[in-house]
Amino acid sequence: MSSESTSRLRRILTRGIPIVLLACVVVIVLFSLWVELHVKKMCEMATQKHPGDKVEALMMSVETKQYGYDAHLYKTNNHIFWTLGQLGDKRALPFLKGLVTGKPCDHETNLCQGEIKEAIQKLERDGFNLPKFLWRSILN
């Protein structure tokens, strides 16, 4: 490789890498903001129905339909389970564990076992939650 092509490659890398890194940071920040805004929306919806604590309101908002599938109810419940996992409040663990049947998903009751298990894993893992770190104090 000639010295001219080496210096050209170096210029491309010194300009390109910072741009790529900046783009990655922007995408991460925007995604975490989207997550946090969705969490806030779900919490507001739940506390309108059940005033008070967000976690308790979300848990009280979970509904089942004994006979037949209800697409709206199924989607809403899944959003609630996801939100409980995102909030990171371990008070939701006993509630979520109580919904686990150990059987495959039973969409007839509108309780997706996969979504419930994901929320439980997120709460038990107790890992770093970027959206919570970036936005929770600002949006609450």
Side-chain angles (χ1 to χ4, degrees):
M1 199 184 273
S2 71
S3 65
E4 185 179 316
S5 61
T6 304
S7 66
R8 185 172 169 207
L9 179 62
R10 187 176 297 135
R11 279 194 311 268
I12 291 171
L13 289 175
T14 57
R15 290 181 185 153
I17 290 175
I19 291 170
V20 169
L21 289 175
L22 179 62
C24 289
V25 168
V26 168
V27 167
I28 290 169
V29 168
L30 290 175
F31 177 72
S32 68
L33 179 59
W34 176 84
V35 167
E36 192 57 32
L37 289 172
H38 190 70
V39 167
K40 185 176 181 182
K41 177 184 165 191
M42 291 302 297
C43 290
E44 287 173 355
M45 179 201 71
T47 54
Q48 283 177 356
K49 284 188 203 174
H50 309 282
D53 182 74
K54 290 183 275 195
V55 174
E56 291 175 12
L58 284 163
M59 291 187 293
M60 288 189 287
S61 295
V62 172
E63 296 180 39
T64 60
K65 189 170 184 178
Q66 203 163 20
Y67 302 104
Y69 175 77
D70 181 336
H72 174 71
L73 194 57
Y74 178 75
K75 186 176 179 182
T76 301
N77 283 341
N78 283 347
H79 286 296
I80 291 170
F81 302 142
W82 176 83
T83 301
L84 287 169
Q86 292 297 317
L87 285 173
D89 193 320
K90 294 198 184 289
R91 291 180 297 155
L93 271 173
F95 170 76
L96 291 168
K97 286 181 177 181
L99 297 175
V100 175
T101 64
K103 299 176 185 173
C105 280
D106 178 10
H107 297 174
E108 293 299 311
T109 63
N110 300 294
L111 299 176
C112 178
Q113 295 297 300
E115 200 69 45
I116 294 167
K117 289 175 185 175
E118 281 185 38
I120 291 170
Q121 289 172 354
K122 186 159 184 75
L123 290 170
E124 288 179 337
R125 218 178 17 239
D126 201 26
F128 180 69
N129 186 335
L130 182 64
K132 181 179 178 181
F133 174 76
L134 290 176
W135 309 112
R136 192 75 28 95
S137 60
I138 295 170
L139 297 175
N140 282 337

